[in-house]
mmCIF file of all heavy atoms in Angstrom:
data_model
loop_
_atom_site.group_PDB
_atom_site.id
_atom_site.type_symbol
_atom_site.label_atom_id
_atom_site.label_comp_id
_atom_site.label_asym_id
_atom_site.label_seq_id
_atom_site.Cartn_x
_atom_site.Cartn_y
_atom_site.Cartn_z
ATOM 1 N N ARG U 49 105.487 108.305 92.331
ATOM 2 C CA ARG U 49 105.437 108.823 90.957
ATOM 3 C C ARG U 49 105.622 107.687 89.946
ATOM 4 O O ARG U 49 104.863 107.577 88.984
ATOM 5 C CB ARG U 49 106.510 109.868 90.736
ATOM 6 C CG ARG U 49 106.489 110.369 89.317
ATOM 7 C CD ARG U 49 107.607 111.349 89.015
ATOM 8 N NE ARG U 49 107.375 111.971 87.762
ATOM 9 C CZ ARG U 49 106.833 113.157 87.601
ATOM 10 N NH1 ARG U 49 106.494 113.863 88.614
ATOM 11 N NH2 ARG U 49 106.630 113.617 86.359
ATOM 12 N N GLU U 50 106.592 106.817 90.171
ATOM 13 C CA GLU U 50 106.835 105.720 89.213
ATOM 14 C C GLU U 50 105.614 104.810 89.121
ATOM 15 O O GLU U 50 105.308 104.229 88.100
ATOM 16 C CB GLU U 50 108.073 104.948 89.581
ATOM 17 C CG GLU U 50 109.371 105.751 89.538
ATOM 18 C CD GLU U 50 109.587 106.684 90.734
ATOM 19 O OE1 GLU U 50 108.918 106.485 91.779
ATOM 20 O OE2 GLU U 50 110.408 107.581 90.598
ATOM 21 N N SER U 51 104.954 104.607 90.274
ATOM 22 C CA SER U 51 103.772 103.770 90.311
ATOM 23 C C SER U 51 102.659 104.378 89.492
ATOM 24 O O SER U 51 101.971 103.712 88.713
ATOM 25 C CB SER U 51 103.247 103.607 91.752
ATOM 26 O OG SER U 51 104.284 103.078 92.559
ATOM 27 N N PHE U 52 102.453 105.676 89.635
ATOM 28 C CA PHE U 52 101.404 106.371 88.869
ATOM 29 C C PHE U 52 101.699 106.297 87.381
ATOM 30 O O PHE U 52 100.820 106.065 86.587
ATOM 31 C CB PHE U 52 101.258 107.845 89.309
ATOM 32 C CG PHE U 52 100.995 108.036 90.801
ATOM 33 C CD1 PHE U 52 101.618 109.077 91.466
ATOM 34 C CD2 PHE U 52 100.140 107.200 91.474
ATOM 35 C CE1 PHE U 52 101.376 109.278 92.830
ATOM 36 C CE2 PHE U 52 99.877 107.361 92.818
ATOM 37 C CZ PHE U 52 100.500 108.455 93.483
ATOM 38 N N GLU U 53 102.946 106.513 87.022
ATOM 39 C CA GLU U 53 103.321 106.490 85.575
ATOM 40 C C GLU U 53 103.087 105.038 85.057
ATOM 41 O O GLU U 53 102.504 104.899 83.964
ATOM 42 C CB GLU U 53 104.805 106.857 85.436
ATOM 43 C CG GLU U 53 105.045 108.337 85.683
ATOM 44 C CD GLU U 53 106.535 108.705 85.721
ATOM 45 O OE1 GLU U 53 107.384 107.781 85.831
ATOM 46 O OE2 GLU U 53 106.817 109.910 85.619
ATOM 47 N N TRP U 54 103.517 104.043 85.722
ATOM 48 C CA TRP U 54 103.358 102.645 85.267
ATOM 49 C C TRP U 54 101.886 102.339 85.124
ATOM 50 O O TRP U 54 101.422 101.810 84.092
ATOM 51 C CB TRP U 54 104.009 101.670 86.198
ATOM 52 C CG TRP U 54 103.989 100.265 85.690
ATOM 53 C CD1 TRP U 54 104.963 99.649 84.998
ATOM 54 C CD2 TRP U 54 102.899 99.321 85.830
ATOM 55 N NE1 TRP U 54 104.570 98.387 84.633
ATOM 56 C CE2 TRP U 54 103.323 98.147 85.166
ATOM 57 C CE3 TRP U 54 101.655 99.325 86.423
ATOM 58 C CZ2 TRP U 54 102.488 96.995 85.071
ATOM 59 C CZ3 TRP U 54 100.826 98.214 86.347
ATOM 60 C CH2 TRP U 54 101.286 97.050 85.680
ATOM 61 N N PHE U 55 101.092 102.652 86.162
ATOM 62 C CA PHE U 55 99.695 102.321 86.115
ATOM 63 C C PHE U 55 98.947 103.037 84.998
ATOM 64 O O PHE U 55 98.076 102.460 84.302
ATOM 65 C CB PHE U 55 98.981 102.583 87.469
ATOM 66 C CG PHE U 55 97.592 102.056 87.510
ATOM 67 C CD1 PHE U 55 97.374 100.758 87.916
ATOM 68 C CD2 PHE U 55 96.485 102.838 87.190
ATOM 69 C CE1 PHE U 55 96.086 100.206 87.913
ATOM 70 C CE2 PHE U 55 95.220 102.360 87.213
ATOM 71 C CZ PHE U 55 94.978 101.038 87.582
ATOM 72 N N TYR U 56 99.281 104.285 84.820
ATOM 73 C CA TYR U 56 98.627 105.068 83.733
ATOM 74 C C TYR U 56 98.922 104.450 82.344
ATOM 75 O O TYR U 56 98.042 104.429 81.497
ATOM 76 C CB TYR U 56 99.078 106.527 83.798
ATOM 77 C CG TYR U 56 98.230 107.418 82.939
ATOM 78 C CD1 TYR U 56 96.954 107.819 83.337
ATOM 79 C CD2 TYR U 56 98.652 107.841 81.708
ATOM 80 C CE1 TYR U 56 96.156 108.642 82.603
ATOM 81 C CE2 TYR U 56 97.827 108.630 80.899
ATOM 82 C CZ TYR U 56 96.614 109.054 81.341
ATOM 83 O OH TYR U 56 95.812 109.810 80.539
ATOM 84 N N LYS U 57 100.123 103.964 82.147
ATOM 85 C CA LYS U 57 100.523 103.381 80.859
ATOM 86 C C LYS U 57 100.110 101.908 80.708
ATOM 87 O O LYS U 57 99.650 101.530 79.619
ATOM 88 C CB LYS U 57 101.992 103.477 80.684
ATOM 89 C CG LYS U 57 102.521 104.865 80.459
ATOM 90 C CD LYS U 57 104.036 104.840 80.297
ATOM 91 C CE LYS U 57 104.560 106.236 80.228
ATOM 92 N NZ LYS U 57 106.040 106.274 80.175
ATOM 93 N N TYR U 58 100.231 101.124 81.760
ATOM 94 C CA TYR U 58 100.078 99.670 81.623
ATOM 95 C C TYR U 58 99.017 99.055 82.524
ATOM 96 O O TYR U 58 98.782 97.845 82.485
ATOM 97 C CB TYR U 58 101.422 98.987 81.953
ATOM 98 C CG TYR U 58 102.594 99.514 81.144
ATOM 99 C CD1 TYR U 58 103.583 100.258 81.778
ATOM 100 C CD2 TYR U 58 102.672 99.300 79.784
ATOM 101 C CE1 TYR U 58 104.639 100.771 81.084
ATOM 102 C CE2 TYR U 58 103.697 99.793 79.077
ATOM 103 C CZ TYR U 58 104.699 100.535 79.712
ATOM 104 O OH TYR U 58 105.777 101.030 78.996
ATOM 105 N N GLY U 59 98.377 99.838 83.312
ATOM 106 C CA GLY U 59 97.395 99.315 84.308
ATOM 107 C C GLY U 59 96.189 98.640 83.671
ATOM 108 O O GLY U 59 95.519 97.838 84.356
ATOM 109 N N TYR U 60 95.907 98.946 82.414
ATOM 110 C CA TYR U 60 94.737 98.371 81.782
ATOM 111 C C TYR U 60 94.869 96.830 81.596
ATOM 112 O O TYR U 60 93.867 96.139 81.519
ATOM 113 C CB TYR U 60 94.496 99.014 80.380
ATOM 114 C CG TYR U 60 95.609 98.736 79.400
ATOM 115 C CD1 TYR U 60 95.570 97.606 78.578
ATOM 116 C CD2 TYR U 60 96.721 99.563 79.330
ATOM 117 C CE1 TYR U 60 96.616 97.320 77.725
ATOM 118 C CE2 TYR U 60 97.749 99.295 78.434
ATOM 119 C CZ TYR U 60 97.679 98.205 77.620
ATOM 120 O OH TYR U 60 98.747 97.930 76.756
ATOM 121 N N ARG U 61 96.090 96.325 81.584
ATOM 122 C CA ARG U 61 96.305 94.911 81.409
ATOM 123 C C ARG U 61 95.699 94.157 82.643
ATOM 124 O O ARG U 61 96.102 94.412 83.776
ATOM 125 C CB ARG U 61 97.792 94.598 81.383
ATOM 126 C CG ARG U 61 98.485 95.228 80.213
ATOM 127 C CD ARG U 61 99.956 94.954 80.252
ATOM 128 N NE ARG U 61 100.656 95.644 79.200
ATOM 129 C CZ ARG U 61 101.976 95.800 79.135
ATOM 130 N NH1 ARG U 61 102.743 95.285 80.097
ATOM 131 N NH2 ARG U 61 102.517 96.441 78.123
ATOM 132 N N SER U 62 94.795 93.307 82.420
ATOM 133 C CA SER U 62 94.112 92.493 83.431
ATOM 134 C C SER U 62 93.294 93.320 84.461
ATOM 135 O O SER U 62 92.800 92.777 85.416
ATOM 136 C CB SER U 62 95.101 91.638 84.215
ATOM 137 O OG SER U 62 95.798 90.791 83.335
#
Side-chain angles (χ1 to χ4, degrees):
R49 180 186 190 98
E50 295 80 16
S51 303
F52 304 140
E53 290 171 345
W54 186 95
F55 189 84
Y56 192 78
K57 291 179 185 176
Y58 308 110
Y60 65 90
R61 299 176 185 168
S62 300

